[in-house]
């Protein structure tokens, strides 16, 4: 139980019968009395603390809304819990270290490894799990309610925030499974003055919540104050209010920070999310807001706030989008539990609602899968799940009643690979081949194994669309030779005029002059981004020329110019200025350069020589096409089934891998 040293003067130490509480103020919502009674029964010894809150707000008609708010919080408490333990506290210091070292050149990976090294393996089994309904005391709950009502009623835009929106998006004391804290007063005092311009007598649009959002973000969403990284020492619970102030971590931690700030200032703010990205193995979280006219805005903090219909997030591949709520989605919960006794964890107690429609660029209101496409039409399951791909697994993101005549799913975005499954014995049972709905024609393509075979050439194990800026930065880059170390008199050995499509690119040099100094000079505006360069005296040579590394010092650590000649394609040069960077060799004496190889800056998802790979194809289940060791930056597999989903697994490095198809001679990432 939370320590009761901060009991507020207004908490009345009186216990009333629960039925009296419900008859006073909860009677307007059908079923609330039952929900409240059920929650209080689960509270055990903590029941008296929750009854104090109900007593505090249940006596005066003037507190009727606060009473309803208290009922709302308590009714939904059973769906929340948190973890405590020294190991968790130690691991949360990672986010402080990120903040401290974001300008010191210490990478998140180094910090993550240090945390693991210092504190050992992390597991939730080492922590104590506590349930809100049994731990949250009256002082904490009343403090939260008082502060929430204070900001709702005092802010000029509060009149355009309904009580229902207030309950869901301002009132909640928590976000997920973080340890509860007294955070509202601290955040209010830290940030409230930033909104003073909206309180001036002649302020325009001061009654619009989105005006408050825009003004607030001018101050708290400065990219130089934020350390964004997807690297973490392990999968951790939500970090909590005080740790979120470091503005460090992934989209989840940054989104949590903004939620705390907005709630503390009376701004209704939502966490919208896609359970799984349509072209990646992870989900994504972001912020959303409504203006007073119910226009929806979205924000990937700390990026700008824009209307959803003009926001790039509509273009992101995804199947479903949901919005977290504090309350249980009772309609979904009751319907699903009436059909099945066992559900996947995501749907076990759904505290979210479906908001796919405004985010779906290629939207389909109803999608019907014919019964002929279902493996086992006689299954006894009563729920069918629409699943998205995650590595070689499938993750349920939507559901419908199982119907042997066909399955109808509502409100999805087209374009991604999906699959149907049922749930049995706590695992998914796949019920269809993978399929895709064409965004434009609505044509459904099923990826089913057939007799037709093909040979395929592979260059990477994961999508490289996120590396497009790195590859584009090679355009206009030039390799130069000179006998003057300052390159005042130089020859162009090769000008890059095509975007590279693989890890290692070979170039033939036509000039036969000899040069002591050779270099790569990045085009203007490219930060001289390049991963690896090698110069060869002959096109038959396998060993590159050696020399003293020269170049322009200064980089975004640890990406120094010396990395370009270290033989590692996973390190790179990232010059500190957009223009003027170069890296090269002093060969000691003039030599002919007949061939050059280079590698663009990358995230190490390309095929590297001497790595061990295994290619799989999907024929209901994953089937192996054998293990190969790469000899270069590509792999050839022969006799591969056509029109199937493929997956290339690297046995000895990395975890970034993704399903793909092979069409028209190319890997198409799905």
């Amino acid at each position: 139980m939370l320590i009761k040293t901060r009991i507020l003067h207004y908490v009345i130490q009186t216990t009333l019968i629960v039925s009296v509480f419900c008859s006073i103020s909860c009677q307007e919502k059908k079923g609330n009395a039952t929900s409240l009674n059920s929650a209080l029964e689960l509270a055990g010894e903590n029941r008296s603390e929750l009854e104090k809150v109900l007593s505090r707000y249940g006596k005066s008609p003037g507190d009727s809304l606060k009473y309803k708010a208290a009922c709302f919080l308590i009714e939904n408490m059973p769906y929340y819990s948190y973890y405590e333990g020294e190991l968790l506290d130690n691991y949360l210091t990672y986010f402080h270290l990120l903040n401290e070292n974001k300008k010191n050149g210490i990478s998140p990976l180094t910090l993550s490894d240090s945390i693991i090294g210092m504190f050992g393996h992390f597991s939730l089994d080492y922590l104590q799990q506590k349930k809100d309904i049994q731990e949250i005391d009256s002082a904490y709950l009343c403090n939260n309610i008082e502060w929430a009502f204070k900001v709702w009623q005092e802010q000029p835009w509060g009149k355009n925030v309904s009580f229902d929106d207030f309950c869901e998006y301002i009132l909640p004391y928590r976000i997920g499974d973080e340890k509860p804290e007294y955070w509202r007063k601290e955040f209010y005092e830290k940030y409230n003055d930033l909104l003073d311009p909206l309180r001036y007598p002649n302020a325009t649009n001061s009654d619009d919540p989105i005006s408050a959002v825009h003004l607030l973000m001018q101050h708290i969403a400065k990219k130089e104050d934020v350390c964004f990284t997807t690297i973490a020492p392990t999968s951790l619970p939500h970090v909590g209010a005080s740790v979120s102030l470091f503005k460090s971590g992934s989209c989840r931690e940054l989104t949590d920070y903004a939620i705390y700030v907005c709630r503390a200032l009376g701004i209704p703010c939502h966490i919208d999310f896609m359970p799984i990205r349509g072209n990646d193995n992870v989900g994504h979280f972001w912020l959303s807001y409504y203006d007073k006219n119910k226009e929806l805005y979205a924000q990937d903090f700390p990026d700008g706030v824009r209307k959803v219909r003009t926001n790039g997030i509509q273009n992101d591949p995804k199947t479903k989008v949901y919005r977290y709520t504090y309350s249980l989605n009772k309609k979904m919960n009751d319907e699903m539990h009436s059909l099945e006794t066992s559900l996947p964890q995501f749907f076990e107690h759904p505290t979210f609602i479906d908001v796919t429609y405004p985010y779906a660029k290629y939207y389909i209101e109803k999608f019907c899968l014919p019964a002929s496409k279902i493996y086992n039409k006689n299954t006894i399951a009563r729920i069918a799940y629409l699943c998205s791909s995650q590595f070689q697994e499938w993750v349920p993101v939507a559901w419908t009643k199982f119907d042997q005549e066909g399955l109808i799913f509502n409100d999805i975005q087209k374009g991604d690979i999906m699959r149907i499954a049922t749930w049995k014995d706590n695992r998914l049972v796949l019920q269809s081949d993978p399929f895709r709905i064409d965004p434009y024609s609505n044509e459904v393509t099923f990826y089913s194994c057939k007799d037709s075979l093909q040979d395929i050439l592979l260059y990477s194990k994961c999508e490289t669309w996120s590396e497009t800026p790195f590859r584009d930065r090679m355009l206009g880059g030039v390799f130069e030779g000179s006998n003057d170390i300052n390159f005042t008199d130089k020859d162009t050995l090769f000008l890059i005029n095509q975007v590279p499509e693989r890890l290692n690119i070979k170039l033939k040099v036509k000039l036969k002059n000899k040069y002591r100094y050779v270099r790569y000079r990045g085009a203007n505006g490219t930060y001289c981004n390049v991963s690896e360069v090698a110069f060869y005296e002959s096109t038959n040579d396998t060993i590159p020329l050696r020399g003293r590394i020269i170049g322009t010092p200064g980089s975004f650590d640890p990406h120094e110019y010396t990395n370009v000649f270290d033989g590692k394609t996973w390190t790179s040069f990232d010059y500190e200025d957009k223009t003027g960077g170069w890296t090269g060799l002093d060969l000691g004496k003039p030599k002919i350069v007949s061939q050059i190889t280079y590698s663009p800056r990358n995230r190490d998802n390309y095929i590297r020589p001497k790595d061990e790979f295994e290619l799989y194809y999907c024929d209901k289940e994953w089937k192996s096409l054998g293990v190969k060791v790469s000899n270069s930056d590509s792999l050839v597999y022969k006799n591969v089934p056509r029109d199937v989903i493929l997956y290339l697994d690297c046995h000895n490095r990395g975890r970034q891998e993704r399903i793909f198809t092979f069409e028209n001679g190319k890997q198409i990432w799905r």
Side-chain angles (χ1 to χ4, degrees), residues 318-434:
K318 54 190 171 292
T319 301
K320 294 292 290 184
V321 180
Y322 294 103
R323 174 171 300 154
Y324 279 120
T325 57
Y326 175 79
S327 65
L328 180 72
N329 187 333
K330 292 182 179 179
K331 181 180 179 181
M332 181 188 296
N333 183 75
D334 293 348
E335 188 171 2
M336 294 188 75
H337 280 281
S338 71
L339 296 170
E340 297 276 16
T341 57
S342 175
L343 302 173
Q345 184 178 3
F346 180 68
F347 290 103
E348 184 64 33
H349 297 297
T351 51
F352 53 78
I353 58 175
D354 192 332
V355 291
T356 304
Y357 172 68
Y359 289 105
K361 183 174 182 180
Y362 305 109
Y363 173 78
I364 184 169
E365 185 176 4
K366 290 186 182 295
F367 166 66
C368 181
L369 185 80
S372 60
K373 297 298 183 180
I374 300 171
Y375 292 157
N376 183 9
K377 291 185 283 295
N378 296 320
T379 179
I380 60 173
R382 301 181 68 187
I383 293 178
Y385 296 95
L386 187 66
C387 301
S388 293
S389 168
Q390 183 180 53
F391 298 104
Q392 288 181 286
E393 303 297 328
W394 298 90
V395 178
V397 298
W399 71 281
T400 191
K401 293 180 182 179
F402 195 95
D403 189 333
Q404 295 181 0
E405 301 302 317
L407 304 177
I408 296 177
F409 291 93
N410 297 323
D411 303 327
I412 62 176
Q413 176 165 302
K414 301 175 289 184
D416 300 329
I417 299 294
M418 298 174 279
R419 206 166 182 186
I420 303 299
T422 52
W423 185 256
K424 182 180 180 181
D425 298 331
N426 292 318
R427 69 181 185 89
L428 286 174
V429 180
L430 298 171
Q431 297 288 1
S432 80
D433 288 336

Side-chain angles (χ1 to χ4, degrees), residues 380-650:
I380 60 173
R382 301 181 68 187
I383 293 178
Y385 296 95
L386 187 66
C387 301
S388 293
S389 168
Q390 183 180 53
F391 298 104
Q392 288 181 286
E393 303 297 328
W394 298 90
V395 178
V397 298
W399 71 281
T400 191
K401 293 180 182 179
F402 195 95
D403 189 333
Q404 295 181 0
E405 301 302 317
L407 304 177
I408 296 177
F409 291 93
N410 297 323
D411 303 327
I412 62 176
Q413 176 165 302
K414 301 175 289 184
D416 300 329
I417 299 294
M418 298 174 279
R419 206 166 182 186
I420 303 299
T422 52
W423 185 256
K424 182 180 180 181
D425 298 331
N426 292 318
R427 69 181 185 89
L428 286 174
V429 180
L430 298 171
Q431 297 288 1
S432 80
D433 288 336
F435 62 90
R436 177 178 180 267
I437 310 170
D438 186 89
Y440 306 102
S441 68
N442 286 345
E443 180 181 355
V444 181
T445 299
F446 283 85
Y447 296 91
S448 305
C449 191
K450 303 178 182 66
D451 294 334
S452 180
L453 302 176
Q454 64 179 333
D455 298 341
I456 65 174
L457 177 64
L458 308 178
Y459 291 119
S460 63
K461 62 187 180 69
C462 184
E463 58 77 22
T464 56
W465 59 265
S466 60
E467 300 174 21
T468 298
F470 296 155
R471 294 193 296 271
D472 288 346
R473 288 175 184 175
M474 300 305 302
L475 278 176
V478 61
F479 296 95
E480 297 174 334
S482 178
N483 288 303
D484 173 10
I485 193 170
N486 296 315
F487 286 85
T488 51
D489 183 17
K490 58 185 181 292
D491 290 334
T492 296
L493 304 180
F494 199 94
L495 174 68
I496 299 175
N497 55 19
Q498 289 185 333
V499 176
E501 295 184 353
R502 58 193 298 177
L503 181 62
N504 295 325
I505 311 298
K506 290 184 179 180
L507 308 171
K508 290 185 179 180
V509 179
K510 295 180 179 180
L511 296 178
K512 299 302 180 183
N513 299 336
K514 293 184 177 182
Y515 306 99
R516 175 174 173 175
Y517 306 101
V518 289
R519 72 177 182 181
Y520 170 75
R521 177 169 57 85
N524 292 344
T526 66
Y527 297 94
C528 197
N529 276 181
V530 63
S531 174
E532 196 70 17
V533 171
F535 298 93
Y536 296 86
E537 196 165 13
S538 167
T539 55
N540 297 320
D541 288 350
T542 57
I543 299 176
L545 293 169
R546 304 295 184 188
R548 180 173 62 90
I549 302 174
I550 55 178
T552 46
S555 69
F556 295 97
D557 288 340
H559 303 284
E560 275 289 354
Y561 69 93
T562 52
N563 290 343
V564 179
F565 297 96
D566 62 2
K568 301 174 182 178
T569 56
W570 56 95
T571 65
S572 60
F573 182 27
D574 193 19
Y575 189 47
E576 62 184 0
D577 293 324
K578 288 184 178 181
T579 300
W582 62 270
T583 178
L585 293 174
D586 174 359
L587 301 175
K589 63 180 182 180
K591 294 183 179 180
I592 292 175
V593 176
S594 298
Q595 181 173 282
I596 302 169
T597 65
Y598 76 90
S599 299
R601 185 180 175 186
N602 65 91
R603 294 193 170 97
D604 203 23
N605 289 317
Y606 288 104
I607 291 170
R608 286 187 352 212
K610 299 182 181 180
D611 281 344
E612 184 178 88
F613 293 92
E614 187 167 6
L615 182 65
Y616 293 87
Y617 69 99
C618 184
D619 182 11
K620 293 190 176 180
E621 302 292 341
W622 289 108
K623 297 181 179 180
S624 175
L625 284 162
V627 176
K628 287 180 178 283
V629 176
S630 56
N631 295 318
S632 65
D633 66 343
S634 64
L635 274 177
V636 175
Y637 270 87
K638 295 182 178 295
N639 299 321
V640 177
R642 292 181 184 272
D643 303 324
V644 293
I645 300 296
L646 299 165
Y647 186 93
L648 187 62
D649 180 28
C650 184

Side-chain angles (χ1 to χ4, degrees), residues 30-262:
K30 184 179 180 180
N32 273 13
T34 301
S35 298
L36 186 60
N37 274 313
S38 298
L40 290 171
E41 287 174 4
L42 293 171
E45 295 180 358
N46 195 48
R47 179 170 183 152
S48 61
E49 285 295 307
L50 303 178
E51 288 175 341
K52 289 176 187 178
V53 180
L54 297 172
S55 174
R56 162 72 177 86
Y57 297 119
K59 286 189 172 182
S60 170
D63 285 334
S64 61
L65 282 183
K66 291 181 180 178
Y67 184 85
K68 290 181 182 180
C71 290
F72 174 83
L73 292 175
I74 294 171
E75 286 166 8
N76 291 286
M77 271 188 194
Y79 310 113
Y80 294 94
S81 62
Y82 59 98
Y83 294 91
E84 284 188 336
E86 182 180 0
L87 182 62
L88 176 59
D89 295 339
N90 290 336
Y91 263 73
L92 289 178
T93 60
Y94 170 70
F95 299 95
H96 185 192
L97 293 174
L98 282 175
N99 178 273
E100 282 190 335
N101 290 281
K102 62 178 178 280
K103 295 182 180 179
N104 296 336
I106 302 178
S107 70
L109 182 59
T110 299
L111 296 174
S112 176
D113 290 344
S114 297
I115 290 290
I116 296 171
M118 285 189 292
F119 303 120
H121 175 68
F122 181 89
S123 172
L124 293 177
D125 294 338
Y126 301 151
L127 306 177
Q128 184 179 7
Q129 185 178 20
K130 295 190 173 184
K131 298 179 179 179
D132 283 21
I133 195 67
Q134 297 174 353
E135 301 292 335
I136 300 297
D137 65 26
S138 57
Y140 180 82
L141 205 54
C142 287
N143 176 277
N144 179 81
I145 291 171
E146 290 298 316
W147 272 99
F149 271 84
K150 167 185 166 62
V151 295
W152 180 38
Q153 293 169 348
E154 77 175 16
Q155 304 290 30
W157 55 87
K159 63 184 179 182
N160 285 313
V161 179
S162 69
F163 180 67
D164 286 345
D165 284 347
F166 164 78
C167 286
E168 290 288 5
Y169 307 116
I170 296 176
L171 174 66
Y173 56 89
R174 67 150 63 258
I175 293 173
D177 56 356
E178 74 278 15
K179 182 178 178 180
E181 303 174 61
Y182 283 92
W183 54 271
R184 287 189 180 270
K185 183 175 185 291
E186 177 185 358
F187 276 69
Y188 177 84
E189 293 178 346
K190 184 178 180 70
Y191 298 109
N192 188 52
D193 289 350
L194 300 177
L195 301 178
D196 280 348
L198 293 178
R199 303 183 184 100
Y200 297 156
N202 296 324
T204 58
N205 295 320
S206 61
D207 63 341
D208 196 333
I210 203 66
S211 297
V213 172
H214 284 303
L215 180 58
L216 177 65
M217 293 303 160
Q218 291 177 19
H219 298 280
I220 72 169
K222 297 178 180 178
K223 292 188 177 182
E224 62 268 23
D225 297 333
V226 172
C227 180
F228 173 79
T229 178
T230 57
I231 294 172
T234 189
S235 179
L236 294 167
H238 286 260
V239 298
S242 58
V243 175
S244 77
L245 285 167
F246 294 123
K247 299 186 189 180
S248 300
S250 68
C251 58
R252 189 183 74 165
E253 285 74 43
L254 299 180
T255 297
D256 284 1
Y257 161 75
I259 288 287
Y260 286 120
V261 177
C262 287

Side-chain angles (χ1 to χ4, degrees), residues 2-31:
L2 292 173
I3 299 175
K4 303 174 186 175
T5 56
R6 300 182 64 183
I7 298 179
L8 303 180
H9 68 279
Y10 53 77
V11 178
I12 303 173
Q13 305 295 328
T14 305
T15 302
L16 298 177
I17 300 174
V18 174
S19 60
V20 175
F21 299 145
C22 296
S23 65
I24 295 174
S25 299
C26 290
Q27 57 190 356
E28 295 181 16
K29 291 187 178 181
K30 184 179 180 180

Side-chain angles (χ1 to χ4, degrees), residues 271-295:
I271 299 178
D272 292 352
F273 69 100
M274 54 184 84
I276 294 290
R277 284 184 181 270
N279 60 351
D280 205 344
N281 301 305
V282 297
H284 181 49
F285 305 85
W286 64 92
L287 302 161
S288 73
Y289 320 85
Y290 286 106
D291 65 15
K292 65 180 181 180
N293 298 316
K294 296 303 179 183
E295 176 91 41

